[in-house]
Amino acid sequence: MKLKIILVSFAVLSFCHAWSQQIVLLSPNKKIVAALHAMDAKNNGEWYLKVSYQTDKNTSEILPKVNLGLSRSDQDFSKELLFLKATKPKLVKEHYELPFGKKLVRDNEANEVVVSFENPGKAKLNLIIRAYNDGVSFRYEFPEKKGSYVVNDEFTAYQIPKESKRWLEKWNPANEGLYAESSEDKILQQEWCYPGLFNSSDKSCWFLLHEADLDRNYCGTKLSNTKDSNTYKLTFPDPKDGRGTGESKPSISLPWQSPWRVITIGSLSDIVESTLVEDVSTPTHFKTTDWIKPGKVSWNYWSNNHGTKDYKTVCEFADLAVKMNWPYTLLDWEWDAMANGGNLEDALKYIHSKGIKPLMWYNSGGDHTWVSSTPKDRMLTHKNRVEEFTKLKKLGVVGVKVDFFESEKQDMIKYYLDILEDAAQFEMMVYFHGCIVPRGWSRTYPNLMTYEAVRGAEWYNNGPEFSTTAPEHNTILPFTRNVVGAMDYTPVTFTNSQYPHSTSYGHELALSVLFESPLQHLADRPEGYYDLPEEAKTFLKEVHTAWDDTKLLDGYPGQEVTMARQKGDIWYIGGISASERKEITKKLKLEFLKEGVNYRAILIADGKHDKAFSSQVMVVNKNSTIEVKLLRRGGFAVSLIPMEK
């Protein structure tokens, strides 16, 4: 059977090889091209995707080859795939809202094609491909109705031109490493965390590799270039993860679909502003989300690792939340050993008496974690969770932080989702620490507020390294980890914990805008906030944690970043620099503001030294430019409030 060429929007692409047949899919805006190629002229063998990006001037082949296929315990679906048919391109168009995130209203559209194959055993495999305006996604499907198997391997692998710059984090089960930049002859070969950021070899665009809509039917994957420095293959969890518990290869039952393989593509602003990971994920079945309320949280662990053991410390942080107009306070580990004037019940009564809502920490429990901290195992089974959530509901606790998962095997994916589903029955918010990087679950389970999965401010407690690496690290995260979902970095600390900051006060204040997390744990001790100048204190009282819109204004990973976020009619801007050697001056263009409206701008920037602020108030509009000076490792924050005429 000869394979027909499918053309979307009447676009014509030349064949790269005379013998290679292809299906071509264009994004609705015609900038992104996904072409499916056969390695064999008879359309019977191996297949691969080629992904290109079209600008006004040229076409950039950003991924010359994405290998495809799977190996199942009963047979192979990669080397001898016979093309059967392809559907006509279908327009996928969605409109939805989430109660938090970088954007309130989500509108997306894509062209989709489903390509059907058959292997020598007559078993069927479908490849579902979508081209969005901000990227490409694809997934595998076994459409047959019966059968249970183990997936031995997935052969999805991204071939990256060696000249492409890349920012990747060495694999670790907690996803708490540092991103390293590399290209050409300086490329390390090892396993890597998601997401991976790449700048195309001709510098025409950027792309981010990730996965989404992971469910109970698969395990989490990671990227590995151990065999070829420029080919990043999807790899299953290490059998040793989670202390060796659980199977590293996933078991599936037909019919079955894999997670989406997601390639976000475009300019740096396209990457940062994209919601593609959530766009491709399963919509929620929650009937109401009124009980899901983002907000800022006071947190005692950063400044006092045993703070929750002390009733008086817990009360001090509840008082901090009151004085700063923050709705929540977190009782971290050791709440079950609380003393020095009161126990857990006393603390909860005090917190409620102040009009604050408590959140509580739990060990994930089980043999998958070596951490023995109690309370342990209360989240481990459905029975235990129901008992615990019933108690928490009576105690007025509104959310739980569950820690130490240490694995992305299929059994752990099931565990994550079981927690979320049981918590939802009690209208309980959830967030994970020591955990997986977001996979789009917040769309499916909007009670999932945030994840750690980042080297955050906690690392000031772990050794001297973060004092040096934090400034650059902070400028990489908005382009990588925080793109794909909420990030519980626990930012905005002015005093020092075990090891000191090298970032300026202006840098730390800016993180409240730059780092998106619906539950934003502001980690400093009470005096760290009480001693601030009034302008900075007011900013932290008023800045939001869920956004209507997000815009990247300027930046480059590892150097600097400036972002604007909108809530209602108010805009906030945060900007930071990683520069170790020189101060910089930024000129902020405010073209994103509403036409014909004047705004009261309050600029809080670096002062004479890194522990001082410089503030000024001005009237601006969309034609205005604000000039701001940043110290070394410095930063600034701006609030823009419409003025009444």
Side-chain angles (χ1 to χ4, degrees):
M1 180 188 301
K2 187 175 180 181
L3 177 60
K4 294 180 180 178
I5 302 167
I6 296 176
L7 299 176
V8 179
S9 303
F10 304 102
V12 179
L13 280 97
S14 61
F15 288 2
C16 297
H17 304 283
W19 48 265
S20 175
Q21 303 296 306
Q22 57 178 201
I23 290 173
V24 179
L25 192 66
L26 269 71
S27 59
N29 65 5
K30 303 182 181 66
K31 287 186 176 182
I32 295 170
V33 187
L36 180 66
H37 292 257
M39 293 289 289
D40 187 281
K42 297 178 181 179
N43 305 316
N44 184 4
E46 294 183 55
W47 295 76
Y48 67 94
L49 280 173
K50 181 182 293 186
V51 180
S52 303
Y53 183 75
Q54 299 189 133
T55 65
D56 295 336
K57 296 181 179 179
N58 67 321
T59 299
S60 173
E61 192 176 272
I62 61 173
L63 286 166
K65 190 176 184 182
V66 181
N67 298 330
L68 301 169
L70 303 120
S71 172
R72 221 165 62 183
S73 53
D74 62 326
Q75 51 195 309
D76 180 78
F77 293 84
S78 64
K79 297 188 181 303
E80 296 181 78
L81 290 177
L82 174 66
F83 171 82
L84 296 179
K85 62 180 180 179
T87 63
K88 292 182 179 180
K90 177 183 75 172
L91 181 65
V92 176
K93 196 170 185 178
E94 283 192 314
H95 171 91
Y96 68 98
E97 294 184 9
L98 285 182
F100 51 74
K102 64 178 81 170
K103 291 180 182 177
L104 172 64
V105 177
R106 315 291 181 88
D107 288 295
N108 66 81
E109 59 181 33
N111 290 316
E112 178 187 278
V113 64
V114 181
V115 187
S116 298
F117 300 98
E118 182 180 82
N119 75 356
K122 303 299 181 183
K124 306 297 189 292
L125 173 70
N126 292 339
L127 180 68
I128 305 169
I129 311 169
R130 289 182 181 178
Y132 288 83
N133 288 336
D134 57 349
V136 169
S137 65
F138 63 94
R139 75 190 325 173
Y140 305 101
E141 178 180 61
F142 291 129
E144 293 166 324
K145 303 301 181 185
K146 293 181 180 179
S148 296
Y149 309 97
V150 172
V151 178
N152 285 329
D153 203 356
E154 180 176 334
F155 301 117
T156 304
Y158 303 94
Q159 187 182 100
I160 310 289
K162 69 176 184 178
E163 299 84 7
S164 302
K165 279 194 175 181
R166 53 206 77 183
W167 286 258
L168 291 158
E169 175 189 336
K170 183 180 179 181
W171 165 252
N172 63 96
N175 294 282
E176 292 183 36
L178 294 169
Y179 274 83
E181 178 186 344
S182 62
S183 64
E184 299 198 35
D185 59 343
K186 298 179 181 179
I187 298 167
L188 294 174
Q189 291 183 251
Q190 57 192 25
E191 293 181 338
W192 304 95
C193 298
Y194 283 122
L197 177 68
F198 300 82
N199 189 197
S200 62
S201 53
D202 64 358
K203 307 296 184 285
S204 67
C205 75
W206 298 74
F207 57 101
L208 191 80
L209 301 182
H210 197 41
E211 68 180 5
D213 208 27
L214 171 62
D215 62 19
R216 291 180 175 84
N217 299 308
Y218 216 56
C219 60
T221 66
K222 54 192 170 185
L223 299 169
S224 174
N225 67 338
T226 55
K227 292 185 178 179
D228 178 350
S229 62
N230 292 304
T231 300
Y232 294 82
K233 181 187 176 299
L234 268 61
T235 307
F236 291 157
D238 190 311
K240 296 179 182 178
D241 291 348
R243 298 182 68 202
T245 61
E247 297 296 328
S248 59
K249 296 178 180 179
S251 297
I252 64 171
S253 296
L254 308 192
W256 171 87
Q257 289 184 330
S258 75
W260 287 103
R261 307 306 170 205
V262 180
I263 312 163
T264 308
I265 304 168
S267 65
L268 268 180
S269 59
D270 292 328
I271 300 293
V272 169
E273 297 164 20
S274 173
T275 58
L276 187 56
V277 169
E278 289 164 334
D279 292 345
V280 300
S281 296
T282 302
T284 186
H285 294 297
F286 287 15
K287 293 181 180 178
T288 64
T289 57
D290 295 347
W291 51 277
I292 299 167
K293 297 187 182 298
K296 295 183 283 289
V297 189
S298 66
W299 182 52
N300 64 48
Y301 176 84
W302 183 83
S303 57
N304 185 338
N305 294 169
H306 299 279
T308 307
K309 205 172 182 179
D310 189 309
Y311 170 77
K312 291 180 180 177
T313 300
V314 171
C315 293
E316 289 173 3
F317 277 81
D319 293 340
L320 170 64
V322 173
K323 292 179 182 178
M324 295 299 292
N325 297 331
W326 301 342
Y328 303 109
T329 191
L330 170 66
L331 305 184
D332 214 293
W333 75 311
E334 297 183 319
W335 53 257
D336 55 343
M338 197 182 302
N340 193 26
N343 59 19
L344 173 65
E345 287 73 18
D346 298 322
L348 291 174
K349 286 179 183 177
Y350 184 86
I351 291 166
H352 285 303
S353 75
K354 297 293 183 175
I356 302 301
K357 296 177 181 177
L359 309 166
M360 285 172 55
W361 177 94
Y362 285 84
N363 189 335
S364 65
D367 294 334
H368 61 268
T369 175
W370 57 268
V371 179
S372 60
S373 303
T374 59
K376 191 172 182 178
D377 300 339
R378 297 192 191 180
M379 293 290 125
L380 195 58
T381 68
H382 172 70
K383 181 177 181 290
N384 289 354
R385 288 189 294 272
V386 169
E387 289 176 356
E388 197 66 15
F389 289 144
T390 299
K391 292 177 186 176
L392 293 179
K393 196 73 176 174
K394 290 179 180 177
L395 291 170
V397 175
V398 298
V400 293
K401 169 184 176 180
V402 189
D403 208 343
F404 304 121
F405 290 89
E406 301 174 32
S407 166
E408 297 185 6
K409 296 175 184 175
Q410 187 175 21
D411 67 323
M412 200 57 58
I413 302 306
K414 292 177 179 177
Y415 184 27
Y416 281 116
L417 301 183
D418 287 347
I419 291 172
L420 293 172
E421 290 188 355
D422 285 345
Q425 298 304 310
F426 292 84
E427 297 190 343
M428 192 73 58
M429 296 184 291
V430 178
Y431 55 108
F432 297 128
H433 266 230
C435 63
I436 195 168
V437 168
R439 297 304 207 275
W441 291 345
S442 290
R443 184 178 182 191
T444 315
Y445 303 99
N447 61 325
L448 175 52
M449 305 301 289
T450 191
Y451 315 63
E452 187 182 29
V454 66
R455 181 166 294 202
E458 241 182 61
W459 280 77
Y460 285 114
N461 291 332
N462 297 343
E465 162 265 313
F466 204 54
S467 297
T468 303
T469 58
E472 179 179 331
H473 180 61
N474 292 349
T475 65
I476 295 174
L477 293 175
F479 302 104
T480 52
R481 164 63 182 85
N482 212 183
V483 170
V484 300
M487 182 178 76
D488 197 24
Y489 178 103
T490 62
V492 192
T493 52
F494 302 101
T495 67
N496 292 323
S497 188
Q498 278 89 324
Y499 296 93
H501 295 76
S502 63
T503 53
S504 75
Y505 275 23
H507 184 118
E508 289 296 316
L509 185 67
L511 300 184
S512 65
V513 178
L514 289 174
F515 292 168
E516 183 264 314
S517 179
L519 289 178
Q520 186 74 281
H521 292 74
L522 300 179
D524 209 343
R525 49 181 56 84
E527 56 267 32
Y529 300 113
Y530 296 155
D531 293 344
L532 291 174
E534 201 58 40
E535 295 88 352
K537 197 184 306 182
T538 299
F539 188 91
L540 290 176
K541 290 179 181 179
E542 296 178 350
V543 68
H544 293 268
T545 65
W547 304 101
D548 295 344
D549 200 8
T550 291
K551 293 185 180 298
L552 175 68
L553 302 186
D554 192 17
Y556 189 89
Q559 297 180 13
E560 60 178 284
V561 58
T562 304
M563 293 173 67
R565 299 193 191 267
Q566 181 186 19
K567 186 66 175 180
D569 294 329
I570 302 174
W571 284 87
Y572 297 86
I573 303 174
I576 58 173
S577 166
S579 176
E580 293 285 343
R581 296 184 178 182
K582 62 179 182 179
E583 300 176 353
I584 63 172
T585 299
K586 300 289 297 180
K587 292 186 178 180
L588 305 178
K589 294 184 178 180
L590 306 178
E591 298 164 340
F592 55 87
L593 295 178
K594 191 174 181 179
E595 183 73 51
V597 177
N598 287 334
Y599 291 77
R600 182 172 183 262
I602 303 173
L603 168 64
I604 309 169
D606 290 325
K608 292 182 179 180
H609 54 79
D610 60 3
K611 291 180 172 57
F613 288 110
S614 172
S615 301
Q616 62 182 113
V617 180
M618 62 197 86
V619 177
V620 298
N621 57 41
K622 72 173 300 171
N623 300 314
S624 302
T625 299
I626 296 177
E627 188 170 291
V628 55
K629 181 179 178 181
L630 285 74
L631 298 177
R632 293 178 301 155
R633 304 175 298 279
F636 66 93
V638 184
S639 61
L640 296 153
I641 303 168
M643 300 175 66
E644 295 183 6
K645 292 183 179 180

